[in-house]
């Protein structure tokens, strides 16, 4: 399966990578740049001022998934490799990505079913098949069976570290990869759109009449090659959140998703009549030209690379013109990309009449 190509095209300078958490250079989490992009134009501010651009009655839907220490040292035929744990399919059956041990910019292309990969403390994994479709040579993701004593999450807490890519030159503790909403461990990579929220900002938003409700979506390792859809991911929309979303829409206020993960979970639970139902399971939903959003009115997001499937979701929510204008301004004003970078609030519509 291939997906549509995003209309938003751009080139950004190498200096736009966020190479460390903002706190490392004296900027608070909620002190990162925030672009507010609406049909009326673009405003540049700081994330701490988010509430000034929302209205009482608006609902923010956040992902409460916590990030795992999902990168573990492995050994393949005695040579070191890196194992990235992506998603749990069963108790000891996980989707993994296997990479070179150092300076990894891509996966190992020659993995074969049946291979045994050694792990710390005498543990191991056996490669079962390519994922999501068996029989794909050179696959990036593999289903594997784990020979690990105890539960996998506890094992990762003992032996793992956060997944880190080449644009972040030095390691940071797992706490740097958690959001203030993180309560349910399960994501291979941080649901980073919510990273700039601080406890103080959350308090000020709630005090101003802006509601906040959780979903859970455990994000796997970063999106596949350009043109490939994102992998299916486990999610849950609890009954209380479904009820709040429906009441918010009925009142004429806006439902604003914090991140592509929250958007994907909410829209997966939305019926054709735009009613959100409590739901749990796996979602392979891809928002885009063939499946516009039904309930999400706006989006808080970080900045995504050209060609990423996330851009299709942004365009579906905010419209290609607004997204393209936002990206042009982000490049012109020196915004930073990736999980430690700056943010955008995409609001294509004003609050509906009440």
């Amino acid at each position: 399966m291939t997906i549509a190509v995003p209309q938003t095209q751009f080139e950004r300078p190498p200096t736009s990578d966020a190479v460390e958490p903002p706190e490392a250079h004296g900027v608070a989490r909620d002190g990162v740049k925030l672009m507010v992009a609406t049909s009326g134009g673009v405003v540049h501010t700081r994330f701490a001022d988010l509430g000034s651009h929302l209205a009482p009655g608006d609902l923010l839907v956040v992902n409460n998934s916590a990030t795992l220490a999902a990168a573990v040292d492995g050994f393949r035929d005695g040579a070191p490799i890196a194992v990235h744990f992506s998603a749990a399919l069963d108790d000891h059956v996980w989707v993994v990505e296997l990479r070179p041990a150092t300076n990894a910019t891509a996966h190992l292309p020659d993995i074969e079913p049946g291979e045994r990969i050694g792990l710390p403390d005498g543990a191991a994994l056996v490669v079962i098949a390519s994922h999501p479709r068996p029989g794909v040579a050179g696959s990036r993701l593999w289903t594997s069976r784990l020979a690990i004593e105890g539960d996998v999450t506890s094992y990762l807490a003992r032996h793992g570290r956060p997944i880190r890519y080449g644009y972040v030159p030095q390691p940071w503790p797992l706490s740097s990869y958690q959001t203030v909403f993180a309560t349910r461990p399960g994501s291979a990579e941080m649901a980073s759109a919510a990273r700039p929220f601080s406890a103080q900002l959350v308090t000020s938003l709630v005090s101003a009449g802006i509601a906040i409700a959780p979903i859970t979506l455990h994000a796997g390792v970063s999106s596949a090659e350009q043109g490939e859809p994102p992998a299916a991911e486990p999610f849950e929309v609890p009954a209380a959140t479904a009820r709040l979303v429906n009441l918010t829409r009925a009142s004429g206020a806006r439902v604003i998703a914090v991140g592509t993960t929250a958007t994907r979970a909410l829209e997966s639970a939305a019926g054709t009549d735009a009613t959100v139902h409590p739901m749990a399971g796996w979602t392979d939903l891809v928002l885009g030209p063939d499946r516009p959003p039904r309930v999400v009115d706006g989006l808080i997001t970080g900045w995504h690379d050209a060609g990423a499937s996330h851009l299709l979701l942004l365009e579906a929510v905010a419209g290609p013109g607004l997204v393209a204008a936002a990206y042009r301004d982000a490049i012109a004003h020196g915004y930073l990309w990736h999980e430690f970078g700056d943010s955008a609030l995409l609001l294509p519509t004003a609050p509906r009449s009440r």
Side-chain angles (χ1 to χ4, degrees):
M1 173 184 176
T2 59
I3 57 176
V5 177
Q7 294 184 39
T8 302
Q9 301 293 322
F10 58 90
E11 292 185 11
R12 62 182 181 89
T15 53
S16 60
D17 287 335
V19 299
E20 62 185 6
E23 308 94 280
H25 49 265
V27 176
R29 281 187 179 228
D30 59 10
V32 298
K33 293 179 182 179
L34 173 68
M35 178 192 297
V36 182
T38 69
S39 58
V42 167
V43 173
H44 301 282
T45 183
R46 295 288 171 179
F47 201 88
D49 296 324
L50 173 66
S52 300
H53 302 277
L54 302 175
D58 284 343
L59 173 64
L60 296 177
V61 179
V62 301
N63 189 355
N64 64 9
S65 179
T67 312
L68 299 170
V72 177
D73 294 326
F75 295 90
R76 182 191 187 202
D77 297 328
I81 64 170
V83 180
H84 290 179
F85 285 69
S86 184
L89 300 179
D90 203 345
D91 185 25
H92 280 63
V93 178
W94 278 65
V95 178
V96 299
E97 181 188 35
L98 305 176
R99 288 185 168 232
T102 57
N103 299 321
T105 58
H107 63 279
L108 292 169
D110 57 345
I111 301 298
E112 297 283 348
E115 285 195 55
R116 181 182 176 89
I117 306 296
L119 298 171
D121 200 22
L125 68 82
V126 176
V127 175
I128 300 173
S130 56
H131 182 86
R133 292 186 296 111
V136 178
S139 176
R140 189 176 71 94
L141 299 176
W142 294 89
T143 304
S144 66
R145 185 171 301 280
L146 303 171
I148 289 176
E149 186 173 346
D151 69 278
V152 177
T153 300
S154 298
Y155 177 85
L156 293 177
R158 295 193 303 272
H159 298 287
R161 58 189 178 275
I163 290 175
R164 175 170 60 96
Y165 294 114
Y167 52 81
V168 179
Q170 72 179 76
W172 297 95
L174 186 60
S175 59
S176 294
Y177 293 85
Q178 304 291 11
T179 74
V180 295
F181 306 110
T183 56
R184 299 184 66 182
S187 281
E189 298 183 12
M190 175 175 53
S192 56
R195 192 184 192 279
F197 283 87
S198 63
Q200 182 178 357
L201 176 57
V202 170
T203 301
S204 70
L205 291 171
V206 173
S207 299
I210 297 159
I212 299 175
I215 58 84
T216 304
L217 185 142
H218 295 316
V221 296
S222 288
S223 183
E225 302 299 327
Q226 184 170 330
E228 291 183 354
E233 295 166 317
F235 79 103
E236 179 181 0
V237 176
T241 295
R243 186 166 58 249
L244 274 172
V245 170
N246 296 330
L247 287 171
T248 298
R249 289 182 56 79
S251 75
R254 294 173 296 192
V255 175
I256 299 167
V258 179
T260 58
T261 58
T263 306
R264 195 182 198 196
L266 263 189
E267 292 293 336
S268 297
T272 54
D273 63 351
T275 300
V276 174
H277 303 276
M279 190 173 293
W282 287 74
T283 177
D284 59 1
L285 177 66
V286 178
L287 292 180
D290 298 328
R291 171 52 167 95
R294 296 168 178 166
V295 296
V296 172
D297 301 301
L299 179 66
I300 294 172
T301 180
W303 301 94
H304 302 286
D305 281 328
S309 62
H310 297 85
L311 287 172
L312 277 175
L313 185 149
L314 268 58
E315 291 177 350
V317 172
L322 185 63
V323 174
Y327 271 78
R328 285 195 300 269
D329 254 47
I331 292 168
H333 288 80
Y335 278 63
L336 296 178
W337 259 244
H338 303 308
E339 65 268 31
F340 296 137
D342 297 313
S343 295
L345 169 61
L346 305 178
L347 281 179
T349 59
R352 295 182 293 274
S353 59
R354 310 202 178 169

